[in-house]
Amino acid sequence: MTLTDLPVGFRDEEQRGYVRRVIHDRLADDRDQQECRYLMRFWWQLGMPYREVTLDQLTANLGEDTLRLVEELIDAVRTSHAAIDDWVDVVEGSRPVVRDRGFEQTGAPLRGNARFTP
């Protein structure tokens, strides 16, 4: 199944950007490099009209929980703008902000309401 239709499924650029931030901040954990790599390819796919990643690649490279959330997002994008907003609410309510270990190694202070993952 192609994912090239996803960029046009958002209400506007603000909604697409917010979803991409949720993916980056709450799903892309650098402790699993392979999963993180494919999540970021999906992140790119949400803004590009060409094929960056396939559902088969996501299925092969994402963990069960992450894949379920990504599949739910794909369904939401193809359903309605309200369904996308609901997906964001679920992910933000259930997943903490991922701890960015590379950023921490630079010694930069954490800002905002970011929460560390264990």
Side-chain angles (χ1 to χ4, degrees), residues 4 23 29 31 42 53 57-58 68 89 92 105:
T4 57
I23 291 168
D29 190 338
R31 288 179 290 186
F42 179 68
V53 67
Q57 289 172 322
L58 293 173
R68 179 183 50 78
D89 290 343
E92 286 188 324
Q105 289 177 356

Side-chain angles (χ1 to χ4, degrees), residues 31-111:
R31 288 179 290 186
D32 185 336
Q33 289 289 310
Q34 188 73 354
E35 180 174 274
C36 188
R37 181 178 302 113
Y38 278 88
L39 270 172
M40 294 313 295
R41 290 180 73 185
F42 179 68
W43 180 90
W44 275 109
Q45 183 70 59
L46 294 177
M48 303 297 166
Y50 57 84
R51 189 181 82 189
E52 181 67 31
V53 67
T54 65
L55 189 54
D56 287 341
Q57 289 172 322
L58 293 173
T59 300
N61 291 287
L62 300 184
E64 184 179 324
D65 291 338
T66 305
L67 179 61
R68 179 183 50 78
L69 290 171
V70 167
E71 288 174 334
E72 289 172 1
L73 174 59
I74 291 167
D75 289 342
V77 170
R78 291 178 174 156
T79 301
S80 72
H81 302 142
I84 296 169
D85 292 336
D86 292 343
W87 180 88
V88 167
D89 290 343
V90 166
V91 174
E92 286 188 324
S94 66
R95 302 285 292 257
V97 172
V98 174
R99 182 176 175 179
D100 186 333
R101 286 148 193 83
F103 188 71
E104 284 178 10
Q105 289 177 356
T106 67
L110 198 61
R111 293 190 174 89

